[in-house]
Amino acid sequence: MRIDVNGRHHEEEPRPGQCLRTYLRERGWFGVKKGCDAGDCGACTVHVDGRPVHSCLYPAFRADGAAVTTVEGLASPEGDLHPVQQRFLDAQGFQCGFCTAGFLMTTAALDEDKLADLPRAFKGNLCRCTGYRAIEDAVRGVRNVEAPAPGEAVGRNLPAPAGPQVVTGTARYTFDITVPGMLHMKLLRSPHAHARITAIDTSAALRVPGVHAVLTHHDAPGRHFSTARHEHPEEDPDDTRVLDDTVRYIGQRVAAVVADSEAAAEEGCRRVEVTYEVLPAVLDPEEAMRPGAPVVHDKDAATARIARPRDNVVGEAHGEIGDVEAGFAAADAVHEATYRTQRAQHASLETHGAVAWIDEDGRLTVRTSSQTPFLTRRALCALYDLPPEQVRVVAGRVGGGFGGKQEMLVEDIVALAVLRLRRPVKLEYTRAEQFHGATTRHPFTVHVKAGARRDGTLTALRLRVVADTGAYGNHGPAVMFHSVGESLAVYRAPHKKVDAYSVYTHTVPAGAFRGYGLGQVMFAVESALDELARLLGIDPLEFKARNIIGPGEAMVTPGGHEEDLHIASYGLDQCVAVVRRAQAETGAGQPAPDGWLVGEGTALAMIATGPPGGHLADARARLLPDGTFDLAVGTAEFGNGTTTVHRQIAAGELGTTVERITVRQSDTDVVRHDTGAFASTGTVVAGKATLRAARALADVLLDFAAAQLRVPRADCRLTEEAVVHPGGRLPLKELYESARAVGVECAADGHFGGTPRSVAFNAQWFKVAVDPGTGEIRILRSVHAADAGQVMNPMQCRGQVEGGVAQALGATLFENVRIDGRGAVETAAFRRYRLPQYADVPRTEVHFMETADTIGPLGAKSMSESPFNPVAPAFANALRDATGVRFTELPLTRDRVWLALHHRGVR
């Protein structure tokens, strides 16, 4: 057999049944990505004799005698980029970049006819990050990046530093490495929603050729922990073991088989014999709280930090401000309804996984797809009684996260195998495992009652919230508490009451997901206020504008005001003004088909720029011998763009260009502790640490240069390559050598503890058309107003907003992790789950407000999570305006819409 790959000859025979994707990756062509295992996502697209194919479906033997081109082979032999690669760079047509190679290979094969119909051309390629606008810009040759200028980095559309590596396929994600002697792990998972393991026989599995070990609960540490990663571990219940003798959901890991190959490990899993005592299970959170329901975790409440274990309540919140009954009595109109949101999957194209080994110094080293490398190291040390200096955790470039990788779902079991075998071990989830073995967004049931006087003044708001946290409480209490925070605080009402519960069920666990509970409750609150305004005969946007919190006002919820949370800049009024202008532009947007119903809707949102209780970040900036700079930060890059922003912040403070700053990150050996890249902290927390480090380094350099030159410090300033003053200049290379000669270190540290915190605001407006005969919905126009403070990189921030809107549209319209009557996930593949494709996502008009925050670095606020939150209620409000029907349950699928219209007689 002979395959020519990018001009190199490969003659090794493929294994029986081997696909072309694994054949190529085993030979070092790591630009070919694994995203779905089933030909659904296109991340593995390559050319075979010039024709694009999904290599995960293409048998390797069929490539015999063929010329195969991967993304690494698009560029010319001299290194010149292919025109498509250059266009993706110019447009910055990527965020995490995991899907980019597939889009590049598909685009490079398009002829003029196919270029004219991109929705059809890209039907086999998925992107979870960008919202597709930037990808279309790349295909059309739109240039979005600006040229750098010394000291003028902040506020400019500067490109991501990893861009050249992303478009050439040389960016290294978690598994894009070769580790000699690596073993492979596969997991045996539970077929029962609730059962006790009474016996487990591994002897037949150990006889499979190539199997080295079978790990069960007998081999696992006895201590309990939480898979959730927070700076303060006590925020989460300790209810999880690495491997447990009781399983609590279908898909929970039961045993781990480690072998020379994945095939041997899978065969070992099939031969493990497990005897179960099947126990009663409860799948509904309301039933779970009733007396006599099966108990999910019968543990001591105090030691496990579970609110009421016997009632399956992992966390709860109750509070009242004023007297809500008096508030409703004073109202001229009251709306009361129950709203429901569903489970959704993060669907990051890079699945969960880790590879670990013992390094030459005897340290456990874990390379993982994680948003929290430092917190993961801390958890591994606690689990296995290891000192921090004996554990190193590294996150390479992470292929999407959206909160799903603020968990420790694989690192613990991989570390157990490595510590036992002293061999490198790899575990990489399949796409199916990502659905039934990772986490989801929390499904919520929210009963809301709202009252107002006829002049449009809110008198009372009351919520009863039930969040289904699944079989384990990772993030459960925190999501529940957060969900009833800013969603209520954004509106003034003298009387407010909340009763909220986070409840265990025997289903796949929920976890952190973009918006962290706010989106679910905002769907209810924003829909209810829209309906209340209609009862009063007031325009819904005008009604909300009369009741929103103003600058300088206290943010009050029944749970109490968080003392470190402030409105440090206010742009919600500007957001409302943007929506009003959109409403007034009656001729803008796509026209509605004849006979379709047309409506528009708005929702507002507020979110804290960081979590409560502190979020730590450290940074270190150094001058290097060649006159360039090194910046070490702990936060991870997974498409959130923090690497770009950190370089911009540092370049502005150091008077240089971003190209002269190298960023090292996501490595516990690189910098002191960093809490992680979650809760929208990459810019406002880690960025502030970078700002402080860069400013401190600038002071060091200017002080030393002034002393060397014997001139006043005030006369000196940093430029791209030197410190200059009216009488001359000191090149940075010479400054470094002079400082080194006298023992002065040209380095400085920066730290920020994540408090105080500010808030960011968003507003979403949709105009939609509905076909009453079929239930089909078309988005005629989408407008988003974002108060991000001083925008560090408008191009990049716009991409975050567009990606958030696109992801939220998926959860609004069709994404739904379905659970059957036994508790099993039915939607364990993309083709059954339905992610937004290119054809599903409209171009959202993004408007940034003119504000500057007094807390965030250089006036910045967060903008990665918040765009998600107002999308579902704005869409539901537009649908209500069009049809007269209030939809109270997500997703708003076509059949659900048609049935509601049919029953109401809407034609």
Side-chain angles (χ1 to χ4, degrees):
M1 172 149 175
R2 172 172 170 153
I3 304 176
D4 288 345
V5 183
N6 302 328
R8 298 185 191 176
H9 307 314
H10 296 278
E11 298 184 353
E12 301 90 345
E13 289 289 329
R15 297 186 300 275
Q18 185 175 25
C19 70
L20 182 58
R21 183 195 69 207
T22 59
Y23 183 90
L24 293 170
R25 286 187 58 82
E26 286 173 3
R27 280 143 192 86
W29 301 109
F30 294 126
V32 185
K33 297 291 185 270
K34 185 195 94 165
C36 67
D37 309 306
D40 295 332
C41 76
C44 67
T45 303
V46 302
H47 294 176
V48 176
D49 288 335
R51 183 170 61 90
V53 302
H54 288 181
S55 61
C56 68
L57 298 180
Y58 196 93
F61 78 86
R62 286 185 57 191
D64 186 13
V68 175
T69 304
T70 73
V71 67
E72 293 97 330
L74 275 186
S76 71
E78 295 74 30
D80 296 326
L81 293 182
H82 187 282
V84 169
Q85 291 172 311
Q86 188 61 55
R87 290 201 295 269
F88 268 75
L89 265 186
D90 292 342
Q92 292 287 281
F94 52 85
Q95 285 182 24
C96 85
F98 200 80
C99 70
T100 304
F103 272 98
L104 285 164
M105 299 308 292
T106 298
T107 303
L110 297 180
D111 58 25
E112 290 302 319
D113 289 340
K114 292 177 180 176
L115 282 169
D117 189 1
L118 290 182
R120 179 176 293 277
F122 286 145
K123 68 182 186 298
N125 291 81
L126 293 174
C127 175
R128 190 57 157 168
C129 298
T130 66
Y132 297 104
R133 187 273 312 163
I135 293 173
E136 181 181 352
D137 281 358
V139 175
R140 304 300 187 202
V142 177
R143 181 179 176 86
N144 293 320
V145 300
E146 296 181 55
E152 298 179 7
V154 170
R156 296 168 64 87
N157 295 326
L158 300 185
Q165 290 75 44
V166 168
V167 302
T168 57
T170 55
R172 291 293 175 250
Y173 295 81
T174 306
F175 296 113
D176 296 342
I177 58 171
T178 300
V179 182
M182 185 169 67
L183 303 176
H184 299 266
M185 176 183 286
K186 286 293 180 180
L187 299 174
L188 176 67
R189 296 183 178 274
S190 169
H192 303 294
H194 192 199
R196 185 176 296 111
I197 298 172
T198 58
I200 186 164
D201 185 353
T202 63
S203 57
L206 288 168
R207 288 195 295 270
V208 174
V211 169
H212 290 257
V214 181
L215 304 174
T216 71
H217 62 272
H218 298 295
D219 305 293
R223 58 174 57 99
H224 289 80
F225 65 99
S226 173
T227 63
R229 300 291 91 222
H230 283 115
E231 180 60 40
H232 306 289
E234 61 274 12
E235 294 180 16
D236 308 297
D238 284 341
D239 58 8
T240 305
R241 285 186 62 196
V242 175
L243 290 165
D244 207 332
D245 58 355
T246 299
V247 292
R248 296 176 174 86
Y249 68 97
I250 294 175
Q252 181 170 333
R253 60 196 189 195
V254 171
V257 179
V258 186
D260 289 329
S261 66
E262 289 189 3
E266 287 173 348
E267 181 61 25
C269 286
R270 285 189 283 269
R271 298 197 186 188
V272 175
E273 297 179 7
V274 185
T275 304
Y276 295 97
E277 176 192 354
V278 178
L279 302 172
V282 60
L283 307 182
D284 179 84
E286 293 286 358
E287 292 181 8
M289 289 191 287
R290 292 178 184 141
V295 177
V296 181
H297 290 279
D298 192 3
K299 293 179 170 38
D300 178 73
T303 58
R305 297 190 295 279
I306 300 172
R308 289 188 280 129
R310 300 295 302 178
D311 298 320
N312 292 318
V313 175
V314 63
E316 56 187 326
H318 306 281
E320 184 171 8
I321 296 167
D323 183 343
V324 292
E325 293 307 323
F328 290 127
D332 294 307
V334 174
H335 169 72
E336 185 173 9
T338 299
Y339 294 83
R340 292 181 174 84
T341 64
Q342 79 284 26
R343 290 176 178 85
Q345 234 289 325
H346 305 82
S348 53
L349 288 194
E350 183 188 41
T351 60
H352 285 273
V355 56
W357 61 90
I358 304 296
D359 70 12
E360 60 274 11
D361 297 320
R363 297 191 309 163
L364 173 65
T365 300
V366 182
R367 181 179 173 90
T368 177
S369 185
S370 173
Q371 297 172 226
T372 58
F374 286 84
L375 298 185
T376 299
R377 179 182 67 171
R378 186 165 68 186
L380 292 175
C381 289
L383 263 178
Y384 297 112
D385 296 316
L386 297 170
E389 60 271 16
Q390 284 299 109
V391 180
R392 179 187 183 189
V393 177
V394 180
R397 189 169 179 90
V398 177
F402 317 111
K405 294 173 182 175
Q406 192 194 339
E407 306 272 356
M408 186 173 70
L409 297 180
V410 293
E411 298 89 347
D412 56 330
I413 189 71
V414 172
L416 176 65
V418 171
L419 293 171
R420 174 68 59 88
L421 298 172
R422 315 301 288 185
R423 290 274 302 274
V425 175
K426 168 190 172 182
L427 171 61
E428 183 177 13
Y429 274 13
T430 64
R431 181 53 57 185
E433 285 181 299
Q434 197 75 3
F435 277 98
H436 60 239
T439 61
T440 72
R441 189 188 193 208
H442 285 78
F444 269 62
T445 300
V446 183
H447 187 83
V448 58
K449 186 175 182 180
R453 292 194 293 267
R454 61 176 51 90
D455 66 357
T457 303
L458 273 173
T459 60
L461 277 171
R462 185 176 70 195
L463 297 179
R464 182 182 184 273
V465 174
V466 177
D468 185 349
T469 197
Y472 291 89
N474 46 303
H475 296 283
V479 165
M480 180 267 301
F481 280 116
H482 190 234
S483 73
V484 294
E486 297 95 278
S487 59
L488 278 180
V490 71
Y491 289 106
R492 294 188 299 266
H495 309 288
K496 296 179 181 179
K497 184 177 181 180
V498 164
D499 292 291
Y501 307 87
S502 180
V503 184
Y504 286 124
T505 59
H506 290 106
T507 59
V508 59
F513 191 106
R514 200 172 198 167
Y516 212 67
L518 281 181
Q520 293 96 311
V521 175
M522 283 178 181
F523 170 64
V525 171
E526 291 291 309
S527 296
L529 295 186
D530 187 275
E531 200 65 26
L532 183 57
R534 295 176 187 278
L535 289 174
L536 292 166
I538 301 174
D539 173 74
L541 180 60
E542 176 60 30
F543 174 68
K544 292 175 182 180
R546 293 180 192 180
N547 292 283
I548 55 175
I549 194 171
E553 294 186 33
M555 289 169 283
V556 180
T557 67
H561 173 58
E562 296 177 49
E563 294 299 325
D564 75 331
L565 190 60
H566 309 278
I567 301 178
S569 64
Y570 185 80
L572 186 53
D573 54 348
Q574 296 179 48
C575 292
V576 170
V578 166
V579 172
R580 282 182 171 143
R581 287 196 298 272
Q583 289 178 325
E585 296 165 351
T586 56
Q590 298 294 317
D594 291 340
W596 288 40
L597 308 172
V598 178
E600 59 184 55
T602 306
L604 309 179
M606 178 174 73
I607 190 171
T609 59
H615 189 108
L616 310 182
D618 288 283
R620 183 170 178 79
R622 294 187 300 135
L623 176 66
L624 299 176
D626 64 355
T628 64
F629 297 92
D630 172 87
L631 177 64
V633 293
T635 190
E637 173 64 62
F638 57 105
N640 49 353
T642 52
T643 311
T644 313
V645 168
H646 292 166
R647 286 213 308 179
Q648 289 180 267
I649 291 172
E653 296 301 312
L654 295 168
T656 189
T657 59
V658 291
E659 283 81 1
R660 296 177 65 81
I661 297 175
T662 300
V663 179
R664 295 179 297 130
Q665 61 193 136
S666 312
D667 184 339
T668 58
D669 271 10
V670 165
V671 70
R672 295 197 303 272
H673 181 78
D674 185 281
T675 298
F678 63 89
S680 303
T681 56
T683 293
V684 296
V685 177
K688 194 151 187 174
T690 290
L691 176 68
R692 289 175 172 176
R695 279 185 177 171
L697 178 57
D699 286 339
V700 169
L701 300 180
L702 290 170
D703 286 342
F704 184 81
Q708 284 288 103
L709 298 168
R710 298 181 182 179
V711 298
R713 155 72 188 267
D715 290 344
C716 298
R717 64 183 180 88
L718 278 164
T719 64
E720 187 174 6
E721 297 183 348
V723 174
V724 300
H725 63 96
R729 63 196 301 271
L730 177 60
L732 293 177
K733 292 180 184 179
E734 294 181 18
L735 190 157
Y736 177 89
E737 292 299 331
S738 299
R740 182 183 179 190
V742 297
V744 173
E745 186 180 17
C746 294
D749 297 314
H751 172 81
F752 184 50
T755 183
R757 300 174 296 148
S758 185
V759 290
F761 299 100
N762 296 77
Q764 175 69 42
W765 178 82
F766 285 112
K767 185 175 183 180
V768 304
V770 185
D771 182 354
T774 66
E776 180 184 349
I777 307 172
R778 292 185 189 175
I779 299 172
L780 305 180
R781 194 178 177 200
S782 171
V783 176
H784 193 99
D787 174 22
Q790 172 62 49
V791 179
M792 300 285 99
N793 187 313
M795 168 186 66
Q796 185 173 272
C797 194
R798 176 188 174 192
Q800 288 290 300
V801 172
E802 292 168 335
V805 171
Q807 191 174 43
L809 277 172
T812 300
L813 292 173
F814 33 74
E815 292 187 43
N816 187 9
V817 177
R818 295 195 301 272
I819 305 292
D820 69 13
R822 300 183 307 116
V825 173
E826 294 183 311
T827 48
F830 281 157
R831 65 186 57 189
R832 299 196 68 188
Y833 179 67
R834 177 79 194 282
L835 287 178
Q837 295 178 295
Y838 181 97
D840 297 315
V841 180
R843 277 210 169 207
T844 292
E845 303 165 32
V846 178
H847 302 265
F848 292 117
M849 306 305 99
E850 296 182 0
T851 62
D853 204 65
T854 59
I855 294 175
L858 304 175
K861 294 198 280 192
S862 62
M863 198 47 57
S864 56
E865 290 185 90
S866 56
F868 188 103
N869 295 328
V871 170
F875 196 96
N877 290 339
L879 191 57
R880 163 67 170 87
D881 190 49
T883 65
V885 178
R886 171 56 62 186
F887 290 86
T888 60
E889 185 173 355
L890 297 179
L892 301 171
T893 56
R894 182 172 172 174
D895 57 343
R896 180 172 285 166
V897 171
W898 180 85
L899 281 170
L901 298 184
H902 179 72
H903 290 318
R904 298 288 185 91
V906 178
R907 295 288 186 267

